[in-house]
Amino acid sequence: MTSVLDLAPVLPVVVLEDAADAVPLARALVAGGLPAIEVTLRTAAAPEAIRAITFEVPGAVVGAGTVLSGGDVRTAVAAGARFLVSPGWTDQLLDAMKVSGVPFLPGVSTASEVMALLERGITEMKFFPAEAAGGTAYLKSLASPLPAARFCPTGGIGLTSAPSYLALPNVGCVGGTWMLPAEAVRTRDWARVETLAREAAALRDRP
C-alpha cells in the first residue's frame, strides 16, 4: 500500500456515534478526494464503522485512530483497518503495532520521541498535538537534524493553517476534522462534507 502520508494532503479524523453514518460519510470524503480516513476508537460504534467502510466503500483506505493498547490494535485489524494511528506510544504498544501487519503512525511531540522511533527503524509518525506542541516552527526545526522523519501533524489544524504545514519538507499530510462540521454530520448533510473534502484535497495544489 502507498504510504498513508502520500494518499492525500489531508487525513480526515472521524468520530462516529452511529455506525450507520459510516458508509455515506466515507463515500462523501472519497468523492471529495480524501480516500484515507481515520476512524477513531473513541466510541463503541467505531469497529462496526471501520468494518462497514472496508466492505462497502471500495475507494476508501480506512484506518483506526486513538489506538492505545494491544487490544485496540487487535480490534482494529479484525475490523479491517488498513493502518493504525496513536496519539503517543509505549514499547508495548509499538510491539503490538509492529506485529499487526498493517502500517502505523505512532504519535510524537518531542525530538527525543522521534529519535527513539528512528532507532527502531520507524520513519513515519503522527505529530500530536500539533498546534499545542509547537506547530510549524517546531516541525521546521526538526527537519535538518532529523531528516529521515516524516510526519502527519494533527491537533488544532484547520483550513487556513494546513497549507503552512504541507509546505514543510518533513510533512506528508495533515490530520483534521474541519471537513466534518458537527452540524453537517448531525443532519447527515453529506453533500456539504463532500464539498469541504474537495476543498481540503485541493490544498496540495496551493502555491
Side-chain angles (χ1 to χ4, degrees), residues 41-111:
L41 300 181
R42 302 179 195 173
T43 67
E48 184 181 348
I50 292 170
R51 188 174 296 108
I53 295 170
T54 298
F55 288 103
E56 298 184 47
V57 188
V61 180
V62 62
T66 321
V67 175
L68 305 177
S69 67
D72 286 345
V73 171
R74 291 186 288 275
T75 295
V77 173
R82 295 176 63 185
F83 63 91
L84 307 169
V85 184
S86 64
W89 63 274
T90 64
D91 288 332
Q92 186 174 2
L93 177 59
L94 202 62
D95 289 343
M97 291 193 292
K98 278 186 170 183
V99 302
S100 70
V102 299
F104 54 91
L105 297 174
V108 297
S109 61
T110 69

Side-chain angles (χ1 to χ4, degrees), residues 123-147:
T123 60
E124 297 187 344
M125 312 165 196
K126 172 180 177 174
F127 179 62
F128 176 83
E131 288 288 279
T136 55
Y138 191 86
L139 281 173
K140 185 176 181 179
S141 71
L142 294 181
S144 180
L146 301 170

Side-chain angles (χ1 to χ4, degrees), residues 3 6 38 64 100 135 155 168 178:
S3 168
D6 298 322
E38 175 188 335
S100 70
L168 297 175
W178 74 86

